[in-house]
Amino acid sequence: MGNCLSCCNKSKDEQYEPLLADREREAVADLLNFLEDRNEVNFYSEEPLRALTILAYSDNIDLQRSAALAFAEITEKDVREVDRETIEPVLFLLQSPDAEIQRAASVALGNLAVNAENKALVVKLNGLDLLIRQMMSPHVEVQCNAVGCITNLATLDENKSKIAHSGALGPLTRLAKSKDIRVQRNATGALLNMTHSYENRQQLVNAGTIPVLVSLLPSLDADVQYYCTTSISNIAVDAIHRKKLAQSEPKLVRSLIQLMDTASPKVQCQAALALRNLASDERYQIEIVQSNALPSLLRLLRSSYLPLILASVACVRNISIHPLNESPIIDVGFLRPLVDLLSCTENEEIQCHAVSTLRNLAASSERNKRAIIEANAIQKLRDLILDAPVSVQSEMTACLAVLALSDEFKSYLLNYGICNVLIPLTDSMSIEVQGNSAAALGNLSSNVDDYGQFIECWDSPAGGIHGYLVRFLSSEDSTFAHIAAWTIVQLLEAGVPRLTAFIQSSDDIIELLNDIVSRDVNNGEYEDGEGDVILLSGRALHLIEQDADA
């Protein structure tokens, strides 16, 4: 126990006889006995707690100090759920004008607040008001412990809103600028714990927290860097707060880029994630690239540490949304690493972001499509797509649908056997995967020099082109029916005799087309694109009849 009861060790004649009441003398004696067997004693129950409580409520400051020190040491070694009979004496000691008692009591309360049930009870018993008072103490140790306790309390969701409305955010923000690094760490950690809901983030912004967090990004302490970077990342989730950051923090992007080159992987990761969240806005997408973030992001993308890879590829994915960023991303050298990440089967988020980035890069440029194909993306997609998780399949099929828009590369895609993987996916459990796969097949069906793959895949795999067309024509979703009808028209207009014969000989297709055309058209008024489906179906039937007559 050390010296926590040293004030109680003088002889009775010398110290306690004239000063202490009988119950206090008994409490001192009992507590000393309990401490002799401390490893076997539950200090939160019955007699041990009664002795501590008597000393805590004593008018003798030395006894109060001993109680506070005892609570601090006991809670350091034994944290469990306790009741108000344990917490109330600690809260009483926290109100003492004596700095040493405040310090020890705040340590004890912070230790108890590691337990979830205790966190709720401390707030219920108005512990926040007392801790806010301690944060304003001139004593650094008291500040540090009080802020540390609030940091623990703020990890419980039900406490966060109460802390946000308690008046604690102002003192926390001020203490984040403390010259004492321990206080800074605790304060920025507490602020981070308050950034996990929109309401609390708004309260932080109102308390003037943003400029303080940004000013601390260059800190030499990795923990402070991490807490501030992560807080900014969370605040940047909200569009309204991104706007405020853009208006008030012109150096933010460059500061975050510098942090991607720091020695701490967790800081690098959060810096990239903060940039990812900022890049939800067009102005930041441009600024991040113009501020030369791409080389740092590429370095993180090439690391062997999955969290860094994920943070980087997620950031690049958002940056790639802006058309002006497509060429810079390709020119810096992202394509090969992105294609390699398609094989990152241990993390589907990385796969999704990688293929989504490739899709964005392919969206507006034939040059980019060519570069993606030359980076071996088609073979990777073909080999991985059928065994990929549904979320990854959705992104991969969307990417293939974009690549299939290019007349220059359609034959290349077909010759790589893309139909063999797209056809089964038109019958996926996922509506998105079905639609993307059918859209890709539809895009491939027009303006192709060689329709051999469509002929070869008419009946297989998985029912072939024929089965997919029948399913989609039968769909109640007019978009699906539209894709099928449009594809049939493209195949018929191609003038390939075998394909035309396949369609003409399909009673299912002809019957479904007739059903669509014969629907009640409500005097020419259509809903959800049904009119286009009817027109396309009529066009398909006309072509079938025309070829039959010929």
Side-chain angles (χ1 to χ4, degrees):
M1 192 68 194
N3 295 321
C4 74
L5 284 177
S6 60
C7 60
C8 304
N9 290 333
K10 298 181 181 180
S11 69
K12 292 182 181 180
D13 292 339
E14 185 179 359
Q15 176 75 9
Y16 297 121
E17 201 71 51
L19 297 177
L20 304 184
D22 290 343
R23 65 197 301 266
E24 291 174 336
R25 285 196 296 271
E26 291 174 4
V28 169
D30 289 344
L31 186 56
L32 287 171
N33 288 331
F34 290 131
L35 291 171
E36 289 295 322
D37 298 318
R38 69 190 71 182
N39 293 331
E40 307 298 327
V41 174
N42 177 5
F43 284 91
Y44 306 126
S45 65
E46 299 180 357
E47 292 304 312
L49 182 59
R50 184 191 68 81
L52 281 167
T53 302
I54 289 171
L55 300 184
Y57 287 110
S58 170
D59 292 332
N60 185 300
I61 196 167
D62 287 330
L63 294 184
Q64 285 189 342
R65 191 175 290 135
S66 294
L69 290 168
F71 270 121
E73 184 165 336
I74 290 164
T75 56
E76 180 73 26
K77 297 176 180 178
D78 183 8
V79 176
R80 65 178 78 182
E81 180 182 356
V82 298
D83 54 25
R84 64 187 303 148
E85 282 72 22
T86 297
I87 291 178
E88 284 178 335
V90 179
L91 293 177
F92 178 80
L93 290 168
L94 204 59
Q95 302 173 64
S96 170
D98 182 81
E100 182 65 16
I101 293 174
Q102 292 175 10
R103 184 199 66 78
S106 57
V107 167
L109 199 62
N111 290 338
L112 289 170
V114 171
N115 176 275
E117 288 75 15
N118 295 344
K119 295 176 206 234
L121 186 55
V122 168
V123 173
K124 183 178 180 181
L125 295 175
N126 299 316
L128 279 177
D129 291 340
L130 299 176
L131 290 167
I132 291 170
R133 206 175 306 159
Q134 302 311 309
M135 285 197 291
M136 299 176 183
S137 167
H139 302 285
V140 170
E141 293 290 338
V142 174
Q143 293 175 355
C144 188
N145 294 338
V147 176
C149 185
I150 287 183
T151 302
N152 286 347
L153 295 176
T155 60
L156 186 69
D157 287 342
E158 66 185 77
N159 283 347
K160 294 179 191 291
S161 179
K162 296 173 184 176
I163 293 171
H165 292 89
S166 70
L169 298 185
L172 283 172
T173 300
R174 288 192 293 274
L175 290 176
K177 298 181 288 184
S178 171
K179 294 180 180 179
D180 187 282
I181 193 63
R182 298 168 302 166
V183 177
Q184 259 194 20
R185 283 185 195 132
N186 284 349
T188 52
L191 292 172
L192 169 58
N193 287 340
M194 296 301 299
T195 61
H196 300 298
S197 77
Y198 172 78
E199 179 187 0
N200 293 340
R201 291 193 290 270
Q202 186 63 57
Q203 293 293 327
L204 286 170
V205 172
N206 294 342
T209 303
I210 284 179
V212 174
L213 293 171
V214 175
S215 71
L216 291 172
L217 289 177
S219 170
L220 298 178
D221 184 82
D223 288 332
V224 172
Q225 286 181 338
Y226 173 77
Y227 297 144
C228 292
T229 307
T230 310
S231 295
I232 290 169
S233 179
N234 292 343
I235 289 170
V237 166
D238 310 308
I240 188 172
H241 297 145
R242 292 195 296 273
K243 183 177 180 181
K244 185 171 183 64
L245 287 165
Q247 293 170 343
S248 64
E249 303 299 333
K251 297 181 180 179
L252 175 58
V253 168
R254 291 192 181 275
S255 295
L256 291 170
I257 292 171
Q258 289 173 356
L259 288 175
M260 287 196 293
D261 294 322
T262 191
S264 169
K266 67 178 184 179
V267 174
Q268 293 175 340
C269 186
Q270 289 303 321
L273 289 174
L275 290 170
R276 184 273 306 267
N277 289 340
L278 292 174
S280 298
D281 288 352
E282 182 176 320
R283 63 172 297 161
Y284 274 120
Q285 292 165 4
I286 293 293
E287 183 182 350
I288 290 167
V289 172
Q290 290 180 342
S291 299
N292 201 33
L294 292 178
S296 296
L297 286 167
L298 180 58
R299 182 179 55 79
L300 299 186
L301 193 87
R302 286 172 164 161
S303 77
S304 58
Y305 184 46
L306 282 181
L308 280 180
I309 298 171
L310 176 57
S312 175
V313 74
C315 183
V316 175
R317 184 263 177 198
N318 278 5
I319 293 170
S320 70
I321 292 171
H322 201 292
L324 292 179
N325 290 337
E326 292 175 6
S327 292
I329 290 171
I330 291 174
D331 293 342
V332 167
F334 272 92
L335 281 187
R336 290 285 181 180
L338 285 170
V339 171
D340 288 342
L341 289 180
L342 298 179
S343 302
C344 186
T345 55
E346 64 266 42
N347 190 303
E348 65 183 85
E349 279 189 89
I350 289 176
Q351 289 181 293
C352 283
H353 288 309
V355 72
S356 180
T357 304
L358 292 172
R359 182 192 65 202
N360 291 340
L361 296 175
S364 60
S365 165
E366 295 299 295
R367 167 186 174 269
N368 293 351
K369 288 184 179 72
R370 182 181 299 106
I372 290 168
I373 288 172
E374 289 174 353
N376 204 32
I378 302 304
Q379 182 176 343
K380 282 272 190 181
L381 291 170
R382 182 200 63 190
D383 293 346
L384 293 167
I385 194 167
L386 289 179
D387 295 321
V390 170
S391 62
V392 178
Q393 287 180 337
S394 179
E395 295 290 347
M396 287 182 168
T397 50
C399 183
L400 287 170
V402 171
L403 292 170
L405 287 168
S406 173
D407 289 345
E408 181 181 351
F409 304 116
K410 289 179 181 180
S411 294
Y412 185 90
L413 290 165
L414 289 168
N415 291 336
Y416 250 101
I418 287 299
C419 287
N420 288 295
V421 296
L422 289 174
I423 291 169
L425 292 174
T426 62
D427 199 22
S428 166
M429 294 175 61
S430 164
I431 298 297
E432 284 190 9
V433 174
Q434 289 181 35
N436 291 342
S437 302
L441 288 168
N443 292 340
L444 290 171
S445 69
S446 66
N447 300 322
V448 182
D449 293 333
D450 182 1
Y451 281 84
Q453 283 295 308
F454 286 91
I455 294 170
E456 184 177 325
C457 295
W458 181 253
D459 289 315
S460 66
I465 298 288
H466 178 238
Y468 135 64
L469 292 173
V470 169
R471 283 195 306 276
F472 272 53
L473 286 174
S474 305
S475 174
E476 295 180 0
D477 186 327
S478 61
T479 301
F480 279 20
H482 184 282
I483 294 172
W486 187 84
T487 301
I488 291 169
V489 169
Q490 301 309 306
L491 294 176
L492 290 168
E493 288 183 343
V496 179
R498 286 193 65 189
L499 273 178
T500 301
F502 282 152
I503 295 171
Q504 288 174 331
S505 63
S506 172
D507 294 337
D508 289 336
I509 288 178
I510 293 173
E511 181 179 348
L512 287 166
L513 290 171
N514 278 309
D515 286 344
I516 291 171
V517 169
S518 64
R519 288 174 186 167
D520 180 7
V521 296
N522 297 320
N523 297 318
E525 295 181 5
Y526 308 108
E527 295 181 359
D528 299 326
E530 187 179 13
D532 289 339
V533 178
I534 292 173
L535 290 174
L536 281 169
S537 298
R539 171 66 177 159
L541 288 171
H542 172 73
L543 291 170
I544 291 171
E545 293 168 1
Q546 187 179 61
D547 288 330
D549 292 340

